[in-house]
Amino acid sequence: MLELRDVRCSIGKHEVIHGVSLRVEEGELICLLGANGAGKSTLFRTISGVVRPRSGEIIFRGEPIHRLGPDRIVRLGISLCPEGRKLFPRLSVKKNLMMGAYTRYRNRVEVKMSFQEVFELFPILEERLDQDAGTMSGGEQQMLAIARALMARPKLLMLDEPSLGLAPLVVKRIMETIQEINRRGVTILLSEQNAAMALSISHRGYVMENGKIVLEGSSQELMDNEEVKRAYLGA
Amino acid sequence: MSFFINQLIIGIQLGSQYMMMALGLTLIFGILDISHFAHGHIYMVGAYLLYTFSVLAGINYWVALPICMIILALIGVLVERLVYRPLRGSPSINTFIAAIGLLLAIETLVRGIKKDAVRVPVPVDRSVSVLGMSLEVQRIIVILGALLILLMLQWFIKRTRLGIAIEAMAQDREGASLVGINVNRISALTFAIASALAGVAAVLMAPLGAITPEMGNPLILKAFVIVVIGGLGSMKGAIFGGYILGVIEALGVAYISSTYKDVFAFALLIVILAFRPTGLFGERAA
Ligand SMILES: Nc1ncnc2c1ncn2[C@@H]1O[C@H](COP(=O)(O)OP(=O)(O)OP(=O)(O)O)[C@@H](O)[C@H]1O
Ligand SMILES: [Mg+2]
């Protein structure tokens, strides 16, 4: 469904992604592990079109997308729930969700259904509909960020460290919900530093270090890998 | 007492003009972080367009109004596209210089075409008496017209998909592109709206005074003062700040001296920033 071929990106003058290749098949839940500064966020922003790769190809459902802008890529069916959430803090929860469906304004009935779907996944959002996004707790904001990304009806949902800074109980809820979203047919690419949690819900994973993929395999293989155990699972 | 009320009405009318100008500036600032110093000159072009249509071409004033708005909106789109967009991401001093250059270019161009001051006749040449004082009907038209435009703008920004997208982009630009908002299109739209607002202000105000190539200068200074007083990027701030400055100016002229007409704005700026460095409704310091 998504394929990256030798993608390189720079921020300013510095190359930070040094030739990454990876594949995501339809229906998979893939995790991308990596320490601080490994380049996970940059890679996601590149797939979304916010950052242009300096070379390499990104193919989504047979179509090259590495030259498209973010608005086109959303329309093709890739949504990013970014690190730091990037919500609209002084807009209500409802308006944040409406903006999530920005590309789908022609089909009001379907957008209504999407509202129902995200309320099913995150009932708290329905209660907070008129509250400003910026005034909610971190966990609620993360839920809103995921919900907003879902409002675009993505085929591929990318989640950049959704557990960052949240209490363990909230993290567990969010991970379960991510799994549920995947079961409903959305392909997921999830970046995490919380490797144990991510591997426990994903099918396969990649490990990224210093802008390169250094390891890949099924989640079980990664969990058993000595390197991964030492560096990411704290064993 | 009736003198006071009369001055108050004049202040509200001035404030209506200031508010429409400051709203455009603050919208543009919120979206693009640009200080669009040529905005006063866009207003001036609007006044000359009105002169061209209603005096030279003999078109009815009320028909000329929407024509001027549309032409200015298109000019605004061009300005964004040709002047500011190529400079996106470059140091803000570059944008600043571009804005000043644009302002000088417009002023020189207009002066080259028509050097002397011109006038546009008042569409409703009558006065009404308010508490024993006579008041030009055009002043009331300015106040009500501005109010109507303000309500329409509020509705657009708060209730429509594109309007909400303007606010969304002002609050988080990357977040906005990630939901599929085309930020270039929203920038162009914002410039169109701001310039059309300047057009309304120009068409409503022009019959009350002389039209000159320099008329944009004091206006842009005051509009900027209002944007800073109200809080950078804040619409509420531009609205309140506009009316407050208009009223203070009118009362200051009446009770202190008309010599200081253009100074009251800066006095107000200093006082308000001393107490609230972010302006009345702003989050960022000026
Ligand atoms: N805006 C920026 N300016 C300069 N360097 C940057 C910028 N953003 C990222 N980098 C650099 O790019 C590299 C990759 O950063 P990136 O944020 O993609 O990593 P990450 O894996 O997402 O890290 P984290 O787990 O901390 O989110 C890092 O070395 C970082 O220092
Ligand atoms: Mg990151």
Side-chain angles (χ1 to χ4, degrees):
Chain A
M1 174 182 231
L2 179 77
E3 187 179 357
L4 274 65
R5 294 183 194 143
D6 197 26
V7 169
R8 291 172 184 272
C9 321
S10 309
I11 294 178
K13 289 191 174 68
H14 298 279
E15 187 174 282
V16 295
I17 305 284
H18 314 289
V20 164
S21 300
L22 60 78
R23 291 178 70 92
V24 179
E25 302 298 342
E26 186 133 19
E28 279 188 313
L29 199 172
I30 303 289
C31 72
L32 181 63
L33 304 179
N36 271 325
K40 307 180 294 293
S41 299
T42 308
L43 195 64
F44 278 4
R45 294 172 82 223
T46 309
I47 299 171
S48 297
V50 177
V51 175
R52 293 285 154 96
R54 133 196 219 149
S55 68
E57 288 184 315
I58 304 175
I59 313 289
F60 181 64
R61 293 154 60 94
E63 211 181 316
I65 60 166
H66 47 273
R67 272 189 269 277
L68 303 181
D71 56 308
R72 297 280 311 281
I73 290 176
V74 172
R75 284 175 169 83
L76 287 176
I78 302 180
S79 283
L80 170 62
C81 171
E83 184 175 65
R85 302 174 195 129
K86 309 226 176 268
L87 293 170
F88 310 121
R90 276 158 280 124
L91 293 186
S92 65
V93 168
K94 186 176 176 197
K95 283 187 178 178
N96 269 274
L97 293 173
M98 279 168 68
M99 286 294 103
Y102 184 82
T103 53
R104 300 172 55 214
Y105 65 102
R106 272 180 238 276
N107 203 329
R108 284 176 183 228
V109 181
E110 269 188 39
V111 171
K112 253 207 180 117
M113 279 163 54
S114 294
F115 267 101
Q116 286 315 314
E117 269 171 55
V118 300
F119 291 156
E120 250 174 62
L121 293 167
F122 305 107
I124 187 83
L125 295 181
E126 193 166 12
E127 292 164 32
R128 298 289 159 88
L129 219 46
D130 293 316
Q131 193 174 330
D132 278 2
T135 63
M136 296 199 301
S137 73
E140 289 163 357
Q141 289 193 27
Q142 189 59 54
M143 294 178 196
L144 177 57
I146 299 174
R148 185 184 68 177
L150 283 174
M151 291 298 292
R153 268 224 161 162
K155 301 181 177 80
L156 171 66
L157 174 64
M158 300 190 291
L159 298 150
D160 195 356
E161 298 201 43
S163 71
L164 198 68
L166 300 183
L169 222 67
V170 183
V171 173
K172 189 158 174 289
R173 266 258 15 241
I174 287 187
M175 290 297 159
E176 283 165 8
T177 311
I178 291 171
Q179 221 172 358
E180 171 62 25
I181 294 168
N182 178 245
R183 263 188 237 116
R184 293 184 180 193
V186 182
T187 309
I188 289 178
L189 184 55
L190 165 72
S191 99
E192 267 300 331
Q193 292 193 37
N194 189 339
M197 192 63 100
L199 288 171
S200 74
I201 65 166
S202 58
H203 305 126
R204 283 194 305 125
Y206 291 88
V207 179
M208 204 170 172
E209 262 169 36
N210 298 319
K212 282 187 195 136
I213 301 286
V214 292
L215 207 61
E216 61 171 290
S218 74
S219 298
Q220 192 58 51
E221 281 165 13
L222 291 177
M223 267 188 272
D224 296 338
N225 183 292
E226 292 303 321
E227 288 279 302
V228 175
K229 273 188 189 165
R230 198 164 39 76
Y232 300 100
L233 297 174
Chain B
M1 187 62 197
S2 70
F3 178 71
F4 173 78
I5 290 179
N6 201 288
Q7 289 307 308
L8 197 64
I9 293 175
I10 291 177
I12 294 172
Q13 169 245 310
L14 266 178
S16 306
Q17 175 199 24
Y18 294 162
M19 167 204 71
M20 283 188 278
M21 294 300 289
L23 269 175
L25 278 183
T26 215
L27 279 174
I28 290 174
F29 189 90
I31 290 274
L32 297 164
D33 267 349
I34 289 174
S35 297
H36 177 34
F37 284 107
H39 197 51
H41 283 63
I42 298 287
Y43 170 95
M44 177 268 285
V45 171
Y48 275 96
L49 282 174
L50 175 69
Y51 170 77
T52 310
F53 290 122
S54 79
V55 176
L56 300 183
I59 295 173
N60 178 287
Y61 177 87
W62 299 108
V63 178
L65 171 67
I67 300 177
C68 291
M69 280 174 75
I70 291 167
I71 297 179
L72 278 200
L74 293 175
I75 293 177
V77 170
L78 280 181
V79 164
E80 192 271 333
R81 189 66 249 260
L82 300 177
V83 181
Y84 293 121
R85 198 183 297 177
L87 291 173
R88 189 176 299 160
S90 62
S92 57
I93 182 78
N94 295 14
T95 327
F96 176 78
I97 292 168
I100 302 295
L102 178 66
L103 168 165
L104 291 174
I106 297 175
E107 194 174 314
T108 312
L109 187 76
V110 171
R111 194 178 291 122
I113 299 171
K114 185 92 188 144
K115 201 158 95 239
D116 307 318
V118 295
R119 284 186 169 273
V120 176
V122 187
V124 186
D125 194 7
R126 276 183 35 214
S127 292
V128 288
S129 76
V130 179
L131 296 164
M133 306 246 342
S134 92
L135 190 75
E136 291 156 90
V137 170
Q138 185 65 21
R139 295 193 188 275
I140 297 168
I141 291 177
V142 174
I143 293 173
L144 296 182
L147 216 53
L148 183 69
I149 290 288
L150 179 60
L151 290 176
M152 283 164 63
L153 183 70
Q154 280 289 333
W155 172 81
F156 179 75
I157 298 271
K158 300 290 174 197
R159 295 269 166 267
T160 69
R161 167 176 169 268
L162 286 174
I164 299 170
I166 290 181
E167 281 208 304
M169 186 175 151
Q171 292 179 22
D172 197 307
R173 195 187 176 89
E174 187 166 326
S177 30
L178 288 174
V179 298
I181 294 171
N182 182 328
V183 293
N184 283 335
R185 252 186 241 159
I186 296 297
S187 305
L189 175 69
T190 305
F191 263 83
I193 291 172
S195 307
L197 281 172
V200 178
V203 171
L204 292 179
M205 288 294 295
L208 289 168
I211 299 171
T212 68
E214 302 81 29
M215 69 193 297
N217 289 323
L219 188 57
I220 191 67
L221 283 177
K222 284 174 202 169
F224 257 104
V225 167
I226 291 162
V227 169
V228 175
I229 289 175
L232 299 175
S234 162
M235 285 182 57
K236 219 194 278 173
I239 298 164
F240 281 92
Y243 284 121
I244 290 173
L245 179 61
V247 168
I248 286 185
E249 217 175 274
L251 296 181
V253 165
Y255 292 102
I256 302 173
S257 161
S258 64
T259 325
Y260 303 122
K261 183 171 184 296
D262 294 335
V263 178
F264 297 116
F266 297 95
L268 187 66
L269 175 74
I270 290 164
V271 172
I272 288 189
L273 287 192
F275 292 102
R276 269 193 71 92
T278 56
L280 296 174
F281 301 98
E283 270 113 40
R284 352 185 205 182

